[in-house]
Amino acid sequence: MLILLINGPAHSGKDHTHLVLAERFGRQVHRGKNAKLLKERTHALYGRPDLAWDHFEGPAKDMPQALFHGLTPREAYIEVSERLLKPLHGDDIVARWFVESLSDVEAPLVTVADVGFSAEGRRIARHAGFANTLLLRIHDPAGRPFEGDSRGYFDIPEC
């Protein structure tokens, strides 16, 4: 299995990169979502386990929601990750969940367009093997930083 870790700020083209690869290579590409389980578990924590992980994708991710008591979904996911999960279970907890989800994947290429922490990237790369992992860092052409996000650019020299 080859892993393509796509690292960049919001709206920089990470998901678009996956779509281009999927269009070109079809079923040989699996779209991995590192934060899927974090989002599902955050929704459950706030009493809505029925909501799909991607319920708040798009513009809604940055709009305050009554469900999260006035936080935006992005803020709620960050708070659950940074203040609850990581202090209790380690900086790579979300990536450990993601790696477990790969056991059913048969595609030879997995794109992961939502990795923004070195510990997570390293955990995924160790799983696939550093030689089988490519880190693609996207710099937003508009120059937008990781504003309002706990993620950032990172490096994995072994990849």
Side-chain angles (χ1 to χ4, degrees), residues 36 39-40 43 51-58 77:
K36 179 180 181 217
K39 292 175 181 182
E40 288 174 346
H43 298 166
L51 291 180
W53 70 271
D54 58 352
H55 182 81
F56 293 107
E57 292 302 294
Y77 303 144

Side-chain angles (χ1 to χ4, degrees), residues 38-39 41-43 45-46 56 61 63-65 67-85 148:
L38 168 66
K39 292 175 181 182
R41 291 170 187 189
T42 300
H43 298 166
L45 180 67
Y46 280 91
F56 293 107
K61 188 188 281 185
M63 296 174 58
Q65 301 290 327
L67 172 64
F68 301 121
H69 304 280
L71 294 176
T72 68
R74 184 184 309 276
E75 291 168 336
Y77 303 144
I78 289 170
E79 291 298 315
V80 169
S81 173
E82 302 301 313
R83 293 184 186 253
L84 177 64
L85 294 172

Side-chain angles (χ1 to χ4, degrees), residues 133-150:
T133 305
L134 177 66
L135 173 59
L136 174 63
R137 187 180 297 147
I138 297 179
H139 293 268
D140 187 308
R144 288 179 288 233
F146 282 91
E147 193 171 291
D149 201 332
S150 59

